[in-house]
Amino acid sequence: MLDSRSRGRSGERGRGSGRLWTTALAGQRKALEERLAAEVAGRAHLMATRGVGRVLESLHPDLDRTPEEMRIVKPYDGAGDLSGSELVLSPSLLGWPDLHVQVCDPLDAFIAYPAGGQAAAPKADAALPGLIGTSRVAIPRDLGASRSTTELSRRHRLAPSTVSCHLSVLLGAGLVSRVRRGPAVRYRRTPAGDALLRESR
């Protein structure tokens, strides 16, 4: 049990740690938030199309699932019963490539998995047509270089609204990035987008 002085020092250490991380990551905060948003969107899409089981199977190579149980490779033995309990899945950008698990307390069970792990490069034959349509695969292929919506519309003979719609989906999936340069907004394929296209070859 902590006395008031110990609690005060503990609270100050916590606030100091928070300030350290806020300062250290200040320049990357927006990019990190965008990556996490794309990760959550990708998992939500996978859950909606393939089910919760597929999401769990895709989190990390050290996690194996059967209809009855999950097995996680760790250097220690342990077991937990999560029947009727919530299991929180938390993407982690700073813990990569490790899988962190807490299942001993069913009231606070979670799995912290590396964001963009196995799900970073879904199989193109399943993911890409469902994501943007087979006739529109040319759009992400053309984003190896930075391009605007107008350029893409002209190059692929598509209506600007159609291009914008596809780019919005690609952004949400983390397959393209968006940068504003003056009045123009330009798009470019991300490493996850590169990996997805490599799978289609």
Side-chain angles (χ1 to χ4, degrees):
M1 188 171 181
L2 296 175
D3 60 24
S4 59
R5 287 176 298 178
S6 296
R7 285 196 298 270
R9 287 194 295 270
S10 177
E12 182 57 36
R13 284 194 294 269
R15 287 189 292 273
S17 178
R19 287 194 295 270
L20 170 64
W21 282 110
T22 299
T23 302
L25 300 176
Q28 305 177 55
R29 181 171 179 172
K30 184 177 180 183
L32 293 175
E33 288 176 345
E34 289 177 350
R35 284 184 60 191
L36 286 174
E39 170 69 21
V40 171
R43 296 291 175 184
H45 175 77
L46 184 60
M47 184 180 296
T49 57
R50 305 286 296 279
V52 175
R54 183 67 187 98
V55 172
L56 293 173
E57 292 166 359
S58 69
L59 292 179
H60 197 275
D62 289 346
L63 190 154
D64 187 30
R65 185 192 72 90
T66 70
E68 292 79 27
E69 63 182 7
M70 285 190 303
R71 292 183 176 273
I72 299 168
V73 177
K74 287 292 178 184
Y76 54 84
D77 293 328
D81 184 0
L82 301 181
S83 302
S85 302
E86 292 185 352
L87 176 63
V88 175
L89 304 181
S90 176
S92 171
L93 293 172
L94 303 179
W96 191 93
D98 297 326
L99 184 71
H100 301 280
V101 181
Q102 194 295 110
V103 294
C104 296
D105 180 2
L107 298 179
D108 191 29
F110 72 86
I111 295 176
Y113 66 91
Q118 290 187 346
K123 293 294 183 181
D125 58 352
L128 197 54
L131 194 63
I132 61 172
T134 53
S135 63
R136 302 296 182 249
V137 175
I139 292 178
R141 285 195 186 283
D142 200 19
L143 287 174
S146 173
R147 304 194 191 283
S148 68
T149 302
T150 302
E151 288 177 77
L152 290 168
S153 175
R154 185 178 65 250
R155 289 168 64 88
H156 298 279
R157 299 181 181 179
L158 296 170
S161 59
T162 300
V163 173
S164 294
C165 179
H166 289 316
L167 288 172
S168 177
V169 175
L170 289 165
L171 271 170
L175 301 178
V176 302
S177 61
R178 176 174 57 194
V179 176
R180 179 175 290 278
R181 293 179 182 168
V185 176
R186 303 186 70 82
Y187 298 83
R188 184 161 189 157
R189 205 167 56 236
T190 63
D194 292 339
L196 181 62
L197 290 179
R198 280 197 300 271
E199 290 287 338
S200 69
R201 290 174 185 169

